[in-house]
Amino acid sequence: MVYLVVTMKKDPTAPRPRGRPRKFDREAALQIAVRMFWRRGFEATGIQDLADAMGLAPPSLYAAFGDKKTLFREAIAAYQAGPGAFARRAAEDGGPAREVIAASLRAAAHAFTDGEHPPGCMVILSTTNHGPGADDLAAWLRTLRTDGTQADWTRRIERDVADGLLPAGTDAAGLARFYMTVLEGMSIQAGDGADRAALEAVATLAMTAWPAQITQSTASPRI
């Protein structure tokens, strides 16, 4: 007896079954993490919270981003490249220190109160309260602030002193720290509900503490 085996070929024109999983959008998931860490802080944002918001199972989140600290560091980098780039943009024209700092504070007043994202600065706020397990992240963010914006302001002030725009005895590091403190305070005020006008007023008042220029011809305009 001979048996015939019939092989059915799949029709290439037949519709594919519905309900296939959507392609994972890693960038969209990262932006979700940015907002959650920004609003809640590192400590209060759990892996399950992140996974639920991204529509992932925790193992899939780990596979895509690594552990929570690795994801947090990537989220900070995404913030700095986006909403947190205001200070870097303000410094791009290479003007005198007063112009750069005044522009940075104005930009901060806008960025910290932009309704498109959480208030304040993610780099300042996201590890304000943390346990011992996040000490390394808090130290890392502190380094980002002091070796980034504050260090840039210090160098610009020193350059202006060398160029004769500011008195020889100007404490460049102390002046930069003062304005960094103003910036950090504006971030906290934004988190407490201060609006853009209120923060702009703070920025304007802060600039009145700037040392007197040596020559009026090179003085920077008021904020």
Side-chain angles (χ1 to χ4, degrees):
M1 181 178 292
V2 178
Y3 293 92
L4 296 177
V5 177
V6 180
T7 301
M8 300 295 292
K9 293 184 178 180
K10 185 176 181 180
D11 182 357
T13 64
R16 296 182 179 181
R18 296 180 179 180
R20 292 180 299 136
R22 295 180 180 178
K23 183 178 179 181
F24 174 59
D25 188 336
R26 192 179 188 282
E27 180 57 31
L30 178 60
Q31 291 304 317
I32 289 172
V34 169
R35 289 175 174 272
M36 293 186 71
F37 283 131
W38 190 348
R39 188 176 297 279
R40 301 183 183 186
F42 174 80
E43 201 76 24
T45 304
I47 284 291
Q48 189 63 57
D49 298 326
L50 290 161
D52 289 345
M54 294 176 185
L56 299 172
S60 297
L61 187 151
Y62 284 121
F65 296 104
D67 61 15
K68 180 180 168 183
K69 286 186 177 181
T70 302
L71 174 56
F72 177 77
R73 288 176 181 270
E74 188 171 347
I76 288 291
Y79 166 79
Q80 289 185 302
F86 62 88
R88 186 186 71 246
R89 289 193 294 267
E92 286 177 349
D93 64 358
R98 189 187 192 284
E99 288 184 1
V100 168
I101 293 175
S104 295
L105 296 183
R106 285 198 305 269
H110 174 76
F112 292 172
T113 57
D114 186 346
E116 295 297 315
H117 51 66
C121 172
M122 184 181 179
V123 175
I124 294 171
L125 298 176
S126 54
T127 57
T128 301
N129 297 311
H130 66 276
D135 283 346
D136 56 335
L137 292 179
W140 173 61
L141 292 182
R142 185 165 56 250
T143 298
L144 288 182
R145 294 191 295 270
T146 57
D147 291 357
T149 299
Q150 185 173 320
D152 178 65
W153 289 353
T154 300
R155 287 191 295 269
R156 289 174 183 275
I157 295 167
E158 288 173 342
R159 184 187 65 190
D160 286 0
V161 172
D163 290 345
L165 299 179
L166 290 171
T170 300
D171 180 359
L175 192 60
R177 183 181 295 277
F178 169 77
Y179 283 104
M180 191 68 195
T181 302
V182 172
L183 183 71
E184 291 174 346
M186 289 171 64
S187 176
I188 294 172
Q189 286 284 306
D192 286 343
D195 61 16
R196 179 178 177 180
L199 296 187
E200 286 179 337
V202 170
T204 299
L205 184 59
M207 295 312 300
T208 64
W210 192 261
Q213 301 282 2
I214 290 179
T215 60
Q216 291 300 317
S217 61
T218 57
S220 304
R222 291 179 177 273
I223 187 171

